[in-house]
Amino acid sequence: MASEKPSTLEGLNPEGFLTLDLRNPEAAAREAARFAVRFPIDAVVGVDDDSTVPAAAVARALGLPANPVEAAMAAVHKPSMRERLARAGVSQPTYHLFDRAAKPEAVARRIGYPCVVKPTYLAASRGVIRVDDPEAFVLAWRRIERILEDPEVRAKGGLWSREILVEDYLAGPEVALEGLLRDGELTTLALFDKPDPLEGPYFEETIYVTPSRLPPGLQERIARAAAAAAAAIGLVRGPIHAELRLPDGEPAVIEVAGRSIGGLCSRTLRFGTGLSLEELILRDALSLPIPPGDRARAAAGVMMIPIPKAGRLEEVAGVEEARRVEGIEDVVISAHAGDRVAPPPEGWRYLGFLFSRGETPAEAEAALRRAFALLRISIRDGNGVSRN
Ligand code: ADP
């Protein structure tokens, strides 16, 4: 287990933990190679957007099969991804990349509306804003600049923090595809519908439900679009998480990440005889046999609990009642009382997660909505405490 902060258990279990500078993939690769002399490594799997590039660099240094470092990089840098998709003719929004030194008032006159303005390397919809006219564009640009000036965000992005990406807004429903690449061949592990409309101006994720209720033929075309996108980016191995929209009913790629689904959302998935997504990914990386059997049949859903407003979290009440709702498997509140919380575009975390199962996707979705309605979220801001 390699991470950027030393684990308190490192001294007790030196072969189990390794501290790496994830912002410097080459240094991380050298460090991991030294470690691997004493403690051999069989496979390397990045778990999030911060670790996929160093994971590819470490695997390359160790001579292990992995995605090319440049592909892993293109999957986290949106303009590089767009360029590769464009070259391969994959359906996606048209886009324009700008330097933050540009004057937003001038840029606002050159682009079309509605459009989506975003940083080029952040995740969880952080800084992603839909705008419908030039005035809103200038405000969004300034708001994104403030996010990019945050010292942490700047340090993470380096030169990328100088960029702002503008894309055509693609209307229509959105889906997420969880897949596994083996020698460039994509297997779909799950296709999630996102039943709440994501129309902006900010794009907070809420409900994911699987299996998808879309017609099988369309699901097939979505999988083909995701596979074409992964191939265009150069991803060939391991998990992918792809977001696609269906403008005019056909798939267009919002993005493809070279990692599995984030947060605790993977808990919705069980494979074969109860394997978790993480076990499946590790078994695949180690070329271990994967027990036969399809994904568990029942429909499943997860809701990333949205943050009603920015402030300090006082409490989330009603968790026990929410847990008792039929079809609810678990309620996990991951934020702590006293935490500063904010919805997107500034925030990028959730309050927690609701998990459900049902005979049908509609049942799994309804359980999430019933349980969410029982949660009472108290947040204190300059105007006092308010409850949702
Ligand atoms: P992140 O990597 O932070 O998740 P994305 O580029 O995937 O950023 O955008 C987050 C969400 O914003 C998407 O899931 C989608 O709902 C919405 N979005 C982003 N770009 C577009 C676009 N060009 N058209 C329509 N919606 C978009």
Side-chain angles (χ1 to χ4, degrees), residues 124-126 128 174 194 196-208 245 303-310 341-345 347-351 372:
S125 304
R126 195 172 180 191
V128 179
E174 185 165 314
K194 303 188 184 186
D196 279 341
L198 288 159
E199 292 169 351
Y202 318 118
F203 295 91
E204 188 158 46
E205 300 264 27
T206 53
I207 295 182
Y208 276 46
R245 283 214 164 200
M303 180 175 196
M304 290 151 256
I305 304 172
I307 294 173
K309 67 168 186 175
V341 296
W348 74 100
R349 294 204 180 96
Y350 310 105
L351 284 185
F372 177 64

Side-chain angles (χ1 to χ4, degrees), residues 180 182 271-272 275 279-281 283-285 287-293:
L180 195 59
R182 296 188 183 104
F271 301 90
L275 220 58
E279 288 172 278
L280 181 84
I281 291 169
R283 285 192 153 267
D284 181 70
S287 302
L288 291 174
I290 292 172

